[in-house]
Amino acid sequence: MHARSHAEVVSTREAWALLGLTGPAEGEALTAAFRIAIKAARPEAPGGSEARFRKTIAAWRLIQRQAAPLALAAPTAPPPAPPVVAIGPMEALNGGHVAIRLAGRTINIRLPRGLRSGEHLRLRDAGGGGGDVYLPVLVRGADGLSAVGDDLYMTCPVPPRLLEDGGRLEIDTHAGLRSAWLVAGHQPLRLRLKGLGLPARGARPQGHLFVTLQPSEDAPSAAEDLLVRFTRVWTPDRLAA
């Protein structure tokens, strides 16, 4: 008796689960499911491995072989693709919960910290046939932030006078105020604040926050910004406390 290979897929149901499907699929729907699954299974991807990569390819081949005799059968509508889990940058930073509709029911999913676009959330035994379902993740821009890979991006309005003369710039980031010094006559269009991007997760490193400086006459000067922050702290309510 031969030992079972780690890349062997023994059933169609297992093959569907590996591709994130809940039932038969063909054509563009099957190809799209395979592309998403093989990208997530790559050894360098979070949660991926060589074994999962090989099994995903084996699942694709098994489904193709079994679909060939059915090519002349009457076409049937493919099952719906797994829903995309769309979250904002703050949810990618801090984690949280999200509710999705799958197979006619609502499922509450816990979001780990540090999710990136292109990753997949695994739902065990959530498919119609009892297999696992892999939901693709998309991090959309919100709250003045956008995410690309490990890094976050934002825009900060800056008085033109400060860009010309130089000085201290206070940047209101998702992690609180951060200071940067601008040198007169030598201003970068973008600043990098190290370690303020998406948190490290699996093989993915800690990201950074990139701040694009946008000249704006409406931006408060350093003195005005200091006065606003001083007023926030020394309000009558705080003094009374």
Side-chain angles (χ1 to χ4, degrees), residues 141-162:
D143 303 315
L145 285 174
S146 59
V148 179
D150 306 320
D151 303 317
L152 295 175
Y153 293 79
M154 64 171 288
T155 298
C156 178
V158 183
R161 181 71 176 257
L162 183 60

Side-chain angles (χ1 to χ4, degrees), residues 122-127 130-133:
R122 180 185 181 186
L123 300 184
R124 296 181 181 273
D125 302 324
D132 296 343
V133 176

Side-chain angles (χ1 to χ4, degrees), residues 25-107:
E26 59 184 22
E28 294 182 1
L30 179 59
T31 301
F34 171 71
R35 287 175 177 172
I36 294 174
I38 199 67
K39 182 177 180 180
R42 294 170 59 181
E44 66 271 19
S49 66
E50 291 185 9
R52 182 178 166 189
F53 188 82
R54 292 195 299 270
K55 290 195 71 170
T56 302
I57 294 176
W60 162 255
R61 291 172 177 170
L62 176 62
I63 292 176
Q64 282 189 315
R65 286 198 305 269
Q66 295 187 348
L70 302 177
L72 299 178
T76 58
V84 174
V85 179
I87 62 176
M90 295 304 295
E91 291 171 307
L93 275 166
N94 304 316
H97 292 82
V98 65
I100 65 156
R101 293 285 297 174
L102 182 65
R105 57 196 179 106
T106 299
I107 301 177

Side-chain angles (χ1 to χ4, degrees), residues 185-224:
H186 184 70
Q187 303 309 334
L189 297 177
R190 179 178 289 170
L191 302 176
R192 184 182 71 164
L193 302 184
K194 296 179 65 176
L196 291 187
L198 296 177
R201 180 169 181 269
R204 303 298 291 264
Q206 173 75 48
H208 308 298
L209 173 63
F210 290 88
V211 183
T212 299
L213 304 182
Q214 184 176 37
S216 173
E217 296 291 350
D218 296 328
S221 65
E224 291 171 336

